């Protein structure tokens, strides 16, 4: 029997394969490009391409694709076959360095937010050699960045790589100040925990809302939801277990370090977490994971729902972005060290994150904003839309001691002065308070918990890396060249704590009192919806920061703002239209049929037995008739509003109207339809119920 170590990474053109297939000279030159970003020699590219093709063909590949991540947040690919006609009528399998490095997928239909005029609609892809090529089906997939003719980023990967570079640059300046001259490169790592739902395909196929929008737009709560907490970490049902095993195998072949899996809080909800890796690789892997989760589900007669809020009334799905910064010498900069200097360095990086999260609350919030995630943030199970940092009591006490020049614990007699004290190792605090925090320090990393389950993790990490790069830049600018480094450092840390402690909150983030305190007393932002937060992207402070670190150009920022708002509106428009369609063609006829049968039964009964009152039926007929009137008028109301919005051009205006008019009208329609569901005999109801969806996988 094949063991995992036999097939792990078998579909990846990874370091092992490169070493085996490339000459020593080509290999070392490619390694230089991968590790240090050195420019790639065209001759080396040709040799790599040829080895890659040979390996891919050996593994059954016939095509190759430049695999990229357009601004829609999904992945895209256009397959080209390797075949090249030979003069004798046969074909050769060819793949050149040029084809490896650069592609022209055209792809002019992807949203560009005005970055491409149609006459130069062509987009270009460029190889990202730091993320390994892999085989999917019969296709060699080459991870790439996607740019316009004039070099603007049309994807999520380019700005992600730029943000990693910005952070690297600033972190190296700081490390130098601490005498770490052996460090050549600093990278961020991410381990994204992915939540998802599994439903039976036979039920999914009968629901237009799931098919068109990925979430249920109607559905009354079943008698049982998640109140017993009996699903969380519960035994995994055999069918789900088979799915998870199959999924793991597929992921392992692709070199994805799928590690833990368990049931989540809601019925039918599960989680998968990989072992963390370098951010751009983790991003590629998470995109692939989401794709493969769906593919494997189909093989098991299941559908994997990645929507943030597939069911009202039960928990939604998020993604926890575990993030840390480490050096090429293997030091995690978010871990306290053994010496006072290491600890001062740790505190400085910690402060850089605190300052970044406080200064750029808006960017972090909008980096996770989608129509889907709006249902989750601010609801009961997810972190609130207000961003705060959980540090735990111990670390908070230390910061407090530094700020106020006082001893940090009863045992410690000396005042907390940097460069003197040895810090304790911080254990991960696993209290409930921690779990309600949108941004929690968990011992040696931060866990950003606001991401939606279907989000690409690229956006969140772009903003996080950029904001921390900015803090580090401010620090480096201040500290480089000072005479008394220790004092300057101490003052800077102290000032950061003073200025930014308002973002630190160790209490219960789900508590309404916190939202009040956060917004009223502390002045933190509470950006509840996508149209609330997206325009902040264009605020001068944000544009200045992002352009100064060369993460985005101004045009790229404007394009993204427009695309995100436009996507929000399109999603809500599709949802609204789907509701209208389901109400008119399925719900109203079903309730009507049941009411008519009730009426028939009253007639039959009274004909059979004179003087029967048939109160039950008559009462029900009355209620259902009222409800059908309400459903019909709510449907009409929603439909009118949707039609009216078609005449508006401005993306911001449309998004605001979606938030203020369409969503409430959708809610109103749903309320009456769900009530009708509770009164209608099950066999009349036109599509599977919440009970079947949530408890139907056995
Ligand atoms: P949980 O949050 O469920 O308790 P863990 O804390 O063990 O689980 O890990 C969650 C995720 O964090 C995993 O994907 C893990 O690989 C990742 N992780 C662990 N250490 C780091 C680190 N230093 N940097 C980034 N991610 C990390
Ligand atoms: Mg977690």
């Amino acid at each position: 029997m094949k063991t995992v170590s036999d097939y792990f990474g078998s579909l990846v053109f990874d370091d092992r394969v490169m070493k085996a297939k490339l000459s020593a000279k080509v290999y070392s030159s490619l390694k230089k490009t991968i590790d240090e970003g050195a420019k790639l020699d065209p001759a080396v590219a040709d040799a790599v391409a040829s080895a890659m093709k040979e390996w891919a063909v050996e593994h059954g590949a016939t095509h190759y694709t430049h695999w990229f991540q357009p601004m829609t947040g999904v992945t895209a690919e256009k397959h080209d076959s390797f075949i090249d006609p030979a003069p004798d009528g046969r074909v050769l399998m060819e793949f050149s360095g040029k084809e490896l490095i650069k592609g022209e997928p055209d792809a002019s239909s992807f949203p560009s937010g005005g970055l491409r005029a149609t006459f130069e609609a062509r987009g270009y892809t460029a190889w990202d050699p730091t993320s390994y090529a892999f085989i999917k089906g019969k296709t060699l997939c080459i991870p790439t960045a996607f740019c316009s003719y004039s070099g603007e980023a049309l994807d999520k990967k380019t700005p992600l790589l730029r943000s990693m570079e910005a952070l690297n640059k600033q972190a190296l300046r700081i490390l130098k100040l601490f005498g770490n001259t052996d460090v050549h490169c600093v990278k961020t790592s991410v381990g994204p925990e992915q939540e998802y739902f599994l439903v039976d395909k036979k039920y999914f196929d009968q629901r237009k809302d799931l098919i068109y929008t990925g979430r249920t737009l109607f559905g009354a709560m079943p008698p049982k939801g998640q109140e017993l907490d009996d699903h969380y970490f519960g035994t995994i049902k055999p069918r789900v277990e088979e799915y998870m095993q199959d999924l793991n195998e597929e992921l392992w072949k692709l070199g994805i370090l799928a590690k833990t899996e368990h049931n989540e809080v809601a019925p039918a909800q599960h989680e998968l977490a990989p072992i963390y890796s370098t951010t751009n690789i983790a991003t590629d892997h998470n995109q692939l994971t989401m794709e493969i989760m769906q593919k494997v589900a189909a093989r098991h007669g299941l559908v994997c729902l990645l929507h943030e809020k597939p069911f009202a009334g039960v928990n939604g799905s998020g993604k926890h972005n575990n993030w840390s910064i480490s050096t090429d010498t293997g030091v995690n900069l978010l871990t306290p060290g053994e010496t006072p200097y290491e600890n001062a360095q740790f505190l400085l990086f910690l402060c850089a994150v605190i300052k970044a999260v406080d200064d750029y609350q808006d960017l972090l919030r909008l980096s996770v904003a989608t129509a889907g995630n709006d249902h989750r943030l601010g609801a009961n199970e997810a972190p609130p839309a207000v961003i705060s940092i959980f540090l735990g009591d111990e670390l908070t006490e230390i910061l407090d001691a530094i700020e106020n020049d006082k001893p940090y614990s009863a045992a410690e007699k000396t005042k907390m002065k940097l460069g003197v004290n040895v810090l304790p190792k911080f254990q991960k605090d696993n209290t409930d308070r921690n779990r309600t925090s949108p941004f929690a320090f968990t011992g040696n990393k931060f866990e950003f918990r606001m991401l939606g389950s279907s989000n690409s993790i690229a956006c969140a990490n772009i903003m996080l890396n950029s904001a921390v790069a900015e803090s580090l830049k401010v620090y480096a600018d201040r500290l480089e060249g000072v005479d008394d480094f220790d004092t300057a450092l101490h003052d800077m840390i102290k000032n950061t704590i003073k200025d930014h402690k308002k973002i630190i909150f160790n209490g219960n983030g789900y508590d309404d009192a916190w939202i009040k305190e956060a917004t009223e007393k502390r002045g933190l932002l509470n950006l509840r919806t996508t149209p609330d937060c997206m325009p902040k992207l264009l605020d001068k402070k944000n544009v200045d920061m992002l352009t100064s670190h060369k993460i985005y150009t101004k045009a790229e920022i404007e394009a993204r703002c427009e695309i995100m708002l436009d996507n929000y509106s399109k999603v809500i428009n599709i949802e609204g239209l789907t509701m209208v369609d389901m109400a008119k063609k399925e719900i109203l006829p079903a309730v009507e049929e049941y009411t008519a049968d009730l009426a028939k039964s009253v007639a039959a009964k009274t004909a059979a037995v004179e003087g029967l009152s048939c109160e039950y039926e008559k009462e029900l007929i009355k209620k259902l008739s009222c409800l059908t009137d309400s459903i019909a008028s709510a449907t009409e109301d929603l439909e009118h509003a949707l039609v009216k919005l078609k005449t508006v051009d401005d993306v911001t205006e449309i998004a605001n109207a979606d938030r203020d008019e369409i969503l409430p009208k959708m809610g109103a329609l749903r309320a009456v339809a769900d009530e009708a569901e509770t009164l209608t005999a099950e066999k009349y109801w036109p599509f599977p119920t919440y009970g079947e969806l949530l408890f139907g996988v056995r």
Side-chain angles (χ1 to χ4, degrees):
M1 204 185 82
K2 273 198 161 182
T3 64
V4 178
S5 46
D6 291 331
Y7 64 79
F8 185 86
S10 59
L11 296 178
V12 187
F13 191 75
D14 59 13
D15 198 58
R16 280 179 308 183
V17 185
M18 288 181 200
K19 232 185 221 149
K21 293 257 174 205
L22 300 171
S23 72
K25 206 171 130 225
V26 170
Y27 173 78
S28 80
S29 164
L30 178 61
K31 271 301 261 187
K32 251 195 149 63
T33 302
I34 294 174
D35 296 340
E36 295 159 33
K39 221 174 147 49
L40 198 73
D41 184 317
V44 171
D46 270 332
V48 175
S50 154
M52 224 185 238
K53 180 212 66 190
E54 198 182 293
W55 168 83
V57 170
E58 273 168 27
H59 285 77
T62 52
H63 288 65
Y64 69 91
T65 182
H66 277 197
W67 185 76
F68 60 101
Q69 298 166 29
M71 290 186 277
T72 50
V74 291
T75 56
E77 42 197 78
K78 173 190 164 207
H79 297 183
D80 280 304
S81 76
F82 289 121
I83 59 168
D84 223 17
D88 61 0
R90 289 179 312 147
V91 288
L92 297 171
M93 301 294 261
E94 291 295 351
F95 188 47
S96 68
K98 228 175 87 206
E99 287 167 309
L100 165 65
I101 291 177
K102 190 168 167 186
E104 293 182 27
D106 186 352
S108 46
S109 291
F110 283 114
S112 75
L115 282 180
R116 288 182 299 185
T118 28
F119 64 85
E120 51 174 43
R122 206 165 264 281
Y124 292 87
T125 49
W127 181 33
D128 167 16
T130 58
S131 182
Y132 297 138
F134 56 91
I135 295 172
K136 201 160 51 106
K138 291 194 171 300
T139 304
L140 168 70
C141 298
I142 300 151
T144 54
F146 180 44
C147 301
S148 75
Y149 182 73
S150 45
E152 270 113 0
L154 294 172
D155 67 349
K156 294 179 185 267
K157 174 163 240 176
T158 310
L160 179 66
L161 292 170
R162 291 176 186 160
S163 75
M164 290 168 69
E165 180 45 35
L167 186 90
N168 174 47
K169 187 170 154 195
Q170 303 304 332
L172 285 177
R173 288 176 67 192
I174 296 287
L175 289 173
K176 218 170 176 184
L177 291 170
F178 282 90
N180 295 305
T181 46
D182 52 338
V183 176
H184 296 294
C185 156
V186 168
K187 281 183 179 164
T188 55
S189 304
V190 169
E193 300 165 61
Q194 174 76 48
E195 291 180 341
Y196 61 99
F197 279 87
L198 284 178
V199 297
D200 198 307
K201 188 166 181 318
K202 72 170 184 276
Y203 296 134
F204 175 94
D205 285 341
Q206 296 173 58
R207 294 210 44 144
K208 286 185 193 167
D209 48 4
L210 286 179
I211 293 172
Y212 295 137
T213 74
R215 74 174 177 114
T216 54
L217 300 168
F218 295 101
M221 273 306 278
K224 179 179 187 250
Q226 64 188 47
E227 54 280 274
L228 293 179
D229 276 333
D230 51 353
H231 190 256
Y232 190 49
F233 279 67
T235 353
I236 299 174
K237 291 177 189 134
R239 196 165 159 208
V240 175
E241 186 154 13
E242 277 166 31
Y243 165 78
M244 287 176 169
Q245 275 168 9
D246 199 1
L247 174 63
N248 279 341
E249 243 169 74
E250 293 292 326
L251 295 176
W252 288 336
K253 279 191 227 160
L254 287 167
I256 297 173
L257 293 154
K259 171 87 175 163
T260 47
E261 57 213 4
H262 58 79
N263 287 349
E264 262 298 330
V265 175
Q269 193 184 29
H270 312 280
E271 181 188 290
L272 179 140
I275 296 174
Y276 66 96
S277 49
T278 307
T279 305
N280 62 321
I281 294 167
T283 305
D284 285 356
H285 281 181
N286 184 249
Q287 292 298 125
L288 262 179
T289 301
M290 290 194 284
E291 183 183 330
I292 291 175
M293 283 172 119
Q294 286 166 311
K295 222 180 246 175
V296 173
R299 292 211 287 257
H300 293 257
L302 298 166
V303 176
C304 172
L305 302 179
L306 289 170
H307 194 284
E308 283 74 19
K309 194 73 181 174
F311 304 100
V314 297
N315 280 3
S317 300
K319 189 138 54 186
H320 292 175
N321 191 80
N322 294 274
W323 177 93
S324 65
I325 326 173
S326 49
T327 67
D328 59 343
T329 50
V331 177
N332 178 350
L333 296 169
L334 296 177
T335 324
E338 303 298 332
T339 66
Y341 243 59
E342 283 168 351
N343 286 327
Q345 185 181 290
F346 159 74
L347 286 169
L348 189 65
F349 278 96
L350 182 79
C351 282
V353 178
I354 295 171
K355 174 176 160 60
V357 173
D358 189 25
D359 285 343
Y360 297 99
Q361 294 163 45
D362 45 3
L363 288 183
L364 289 173
R365 168 64 185 92
L366 68 86
S367 75
V368 301
T370 59
N373 212 17
D374 282 0
H375 296 291
R376 198 180 142 253
L377 300 177
N380 242 359
E381 83 279 2
V386 177
I387 298 195
S388 62
I389 301 181
F390 176 96
L391 287 182
D393 294 336
E394 201 175 11
L395 197 48
T396 306
E397 248 176 67
I398 290 173
L399 297 190
D400 188 48
I402 297 172
E403 186 196 347
N404 298 302
D405 291 318
K406 62 179 192 196
Y408 117 79
S409 70
E412 183 123 14
K413 291 285 177 288
T414 52
K415 281 185 190 170
M416 196 66 194
K417 185 144 195 321
L418 292 169
V420 180
N421 300 71
V422 171
L423 295 180
K425 288 261 185 248
F426 301 105
Q427 291 304 317
K428 176 173 172 168
D429 179 321
N430 242 337
T431 59
D432 272 342
R433 297 172 301 137
N434 173 337
R435 281 197 283 272
T436 62
S437 175
F439 203 95
F441 182 69
T442 50
N444 62 356
K445 62 185 189 299
F446 279 97
E447 191 167 335
F448 184 27
R449 301 205 175 100
M450 289 173 96
L451 287 76
S453 47
S454 69
N455 282 169
S456 156
I457 63 169
C459 297
N461 286 293
I462 292 167
M463 294 310 177
L464 188 51
N465 292 342
S466 309
V468 174
E470 172 65 16
S471 302
L472 293 173
K473 176 178 179 291
V474 170
Y475 291 170
D477 287 349
R478 170 79 190 87
L479 291 175
E480 277 169 359
V482 288
D483 293 334
D484 183 353
F485 178 73
D486 284 5
T487 305
L489 177 66
H490 184 254
D491 289 350
M492 211 165 52
I493 289 182
K494 213 169 128 171
N495 287 335
T496 301
I497 301 167
K498 209 171 265 159
D499 295 344
H500 298 287
K501 67 180 175 194
K502 67 176 191 292
I503 197 82
I504 298 168
F505 176 63
N506 292 325
N508 179 3
Y510 294 173
D511 200 340
D512 288 339
W514 159 238
I515 304 300
K516 215 169 133 61
E517 180 188 328
T519 50
E520 289 170 17
K521 276 211 196 109
R522 301 195 188 200
L524 300 180
L525 293 171
N526 185 14
L527 302 165
R528 296 182 58 89
T529 67
T530 304
D532 292 334
C533 61
M534 265 343 280
K536 300 265 177 208
L537 182 55
L538 305 178
D539 282 3
K540 187 172 180 310
K541 85 165 183 17
N542 294 332
V543 173
D544 286 351
M545 187 276 276
L546 292 166
T547 51
S548 76
H549 289 280
K550 300 196 165 41
I551 313 297
Y552 290 118
T553 62
K554 181 126 191 285
E556 287 170 349
I557 293 173
E558 284 162 356
R560 270 153 188 82
C561 184
E562 187 177 320
I563 289 170
M564 294 309 292
L565 284 173
D566 186 47
N567 178 270
Y568 173 84
S569 297
K570 281 181 177 150
V571 166
I572 291 176
N573 185 53
I574 293 169
E575 289 180 346
L577 292 174
T578 305
M579 285 189 92
V580 169
D581 183 277
M582 288 171 81
K584 280 191 188 167
K585 296 188 188 150
E586 297 183 291
I587 297 174
L588 284 170
V591 181
E592 209 46 45
E593 192 185 346
Y594 180 48
T595 319
D597 282 355
L598 283 170
K600 270 188 230 154
S601 142
V602 172
K605 277 172 145 183
T606 41
V609 183
E610 215 170 303
L612 273 186
S613 71
C614 293
E615 261 174 52
Y616 159 72
E617 290 90 339
K618 285 181 186 166
E619 198 47 44
L620 196 50
I621 291 171
K622 230 196 291 176
K623 275 193 199 152
L624 286 172
S625 297
C626 280
L627 279 170
T628 36
D629 288 346
S630 307
I631 295 171
S633 77
T635 307
E636 201 175 325
D637 208 22
L638 173 59
E639 193 170 16
H640 274 152
L642 288 166
V643 170
K644 209 177 99 202
L645 210 49
K646 284 268 167 247
T647 58
V648 182
D649 282 333
D650 181 66
V651 279
T652 314
E653 203 181 314
I654 300 173
N656 287 340
D658 280 323
R659 177 195 57 201
D660 300 333
E661 287 170 44
I662 305 295
L663 283 174
K665 286 188 198 308
M666 285 165 58
L669 171 55
R670 177 174 186 151
V672 277
D674 287 0
E675 197 183 336
E677 185 192 332
T678 63
L679 297 174
T680 304
E682 198 151 303
K683 69 172 189 199
Y684 290 81
W685 202 248
F687 38 76
T689 60
Y690 264 34
E692 287 166 313
L693 289 167
L694 288 168
F695 298 96
V697 177
R698 271 182 279 268

